Amino acid sequence: MRSRIAILASGGGSNLQSILEHLERLGDVRCGDVALVASDRMNAGALDRAARRHVPTVVLATDKAPDRTPLADALETHAIDLVVLAGYLRLVPPDVIRKYAGRVINIHPALLPAFGGPGMYGQRVHRAVIESGARVSGVTAHFVDEVYDRGRIIAQWPVPVFPSDDAGTLAARVLRVEHLVYPRVVDAVAGGRMTLSNSATAGSEMLVDTRPSFTLLPHEDSRLAENIELALGC
Ligand code: GRF
């Protein structure tokens, strides 16, 4: 049975779009369907993108009671199995984290655990990366717990930082990679190919990755060396 996915987005929703398109391309072998798009902002572009594809949408009211939030209600109404944050700026309330332990994921536009945490979103992340002098940034898909950007890492992919970059050019390069990585992670988690082991202590769970493993063959190794030489120009 396919997972029913809720996407939570505060912004334009380009990640939402890439997930919708990827699942559509997978067709019958996809492991989930986007059954709800929720936003804390009524003018979020993500809501328009969802409506154009006839995906149900909801604008979330501000949380009043910490033990029963509008988000928890919406997830229950739509019988959601997996919660996918895609540019969602609010902290996921504790009632949802408790009920959906190991079933909430996020994409972060840098290589966690660096450049994450409270206040690290949007262009601020990319500005911090550039100011640090790092030559590599990237994307991180991770499980979500009650602390910003702390949950167990599912997948990462590097993106080079060039000397000519500003926050805008770096953000655009990273976003292109988000659109490739995140939909694939969403389908893998929806299909149970990547899960979290149970643990009583938040943050100490391990990633259980049941995809077939592979070994780099010697000829691939030399190709990797060639690619590194090309990329670094040395
Ligand atoms: C992405 O960079 C994502 O990593 C971050 O917020 C941005 C959302 O972009 N969490 P979009 O709304 O999906 O276009």
Side-chain angles (χ1 to χ4, degrees):
M1 219 176 63
R2 290 197 188 108
S3 295
R4 290 175 61 79
I5 301 169
I7 310 252
L8 273 49
S10 304
S14 68
N15 275 290
L16 160 70
Q17 184 81 31
S18 69
I19 293 165
L20 288 167
E21 286 170 7
H22 183 71
L23 294 178
E24 195 171 290
R25 261 194 312 273
L26 287 177
D28 288 347
V29 299
R30 73 190 182 281
C31 294
D33 289 307
V34 179
L36 176 69
V37 171
S39 182
D40 54 321
R41 299 192 176 169
M42 60 190 297
N43 56 357
L47 294 172
D48 299 331
R49 293 188 198 253
R52 275 202 291 278
R53 289 187 169 237
H54 310 290
V55 176
T57 58
V58 62
V59 178
L60 300 165
T62 312
D63 299 341
K64 290 217 173 74
D67 50 334
R68 189 69 203 176
T69 56
L71 176 59
D73 286 339
L75 298 177
E76 189 174 315
T77 305
H78 293 268
I80 296 304
D81 304 303
L82 173 65
V83 181
V84 171
L85 312 192
Y88 186 62
L89 297 179
R90 266 202 222 166
L91 198 59
V92 179
D95 61 339
V96 173
I97 294 289
R98 265 195 310 274
K99 182 164 176 208
Y100 283 86
R103 291 185 295 144
V104 186
I105 63 173
N106 182 42
I107 183 92
H108 184 76
L111 294 176
L112 291 175
F115 307 110
M120 273 296 193
Y121 59 87
Q123 302 267 316
R124 293 181 189 195
V125 178
H126 305 293
R127 267 200 299 274
V129 168
I130 290 170
E131 278 163 19
S132 77
R135 304 298 304 267
V136 180
S137 188
V139 313
T140 303
H142 63 98
F143 284 103
V144 171
D145 61 20
E146 62 282 356
V147 177
Y148 273 118
D149 299 331
R150 180 189 66 177
R152 182 64 61 183
I153 291 170
I154 306 169
Q156 294 187 300
W157 199 263
V159 173
V161 181
F162 297 124
S164 57
D165 271 333
D166 58 27
T169 56
L170 179 57
R173 192 175 311 115
V174 169
L175 193 61
R176 279 177 54 200
V177 177
E178 291 181 45
H179 294 164
L180 296 171
V181 169
Y182 206 26
R184 288 162 175 85
V185 167
V186 169
D187 192 67
V189 175
R193 301 193 295 285
M194 286 164 141
T195 54
L196 265 192
S197 65
N198 289 329
S199 165
T201 336
S204 69
E205 307 91 342
M206 298 303 290
L207 179 69
V208 182
D209 186 344
T210 59
R211 296 168 307 155
S213 57
F214 67 92
T215 320
L216 214 55
L217 301 170
H219 73 277
E220 290 169 334
D221 224 0
S222 68
R223 188 157 309 153
L224 184 63
E226 241 170 69
N227 283 339
I228 289 172
E229 280 168 16
L230 274 174
L232 298 183
C234 53

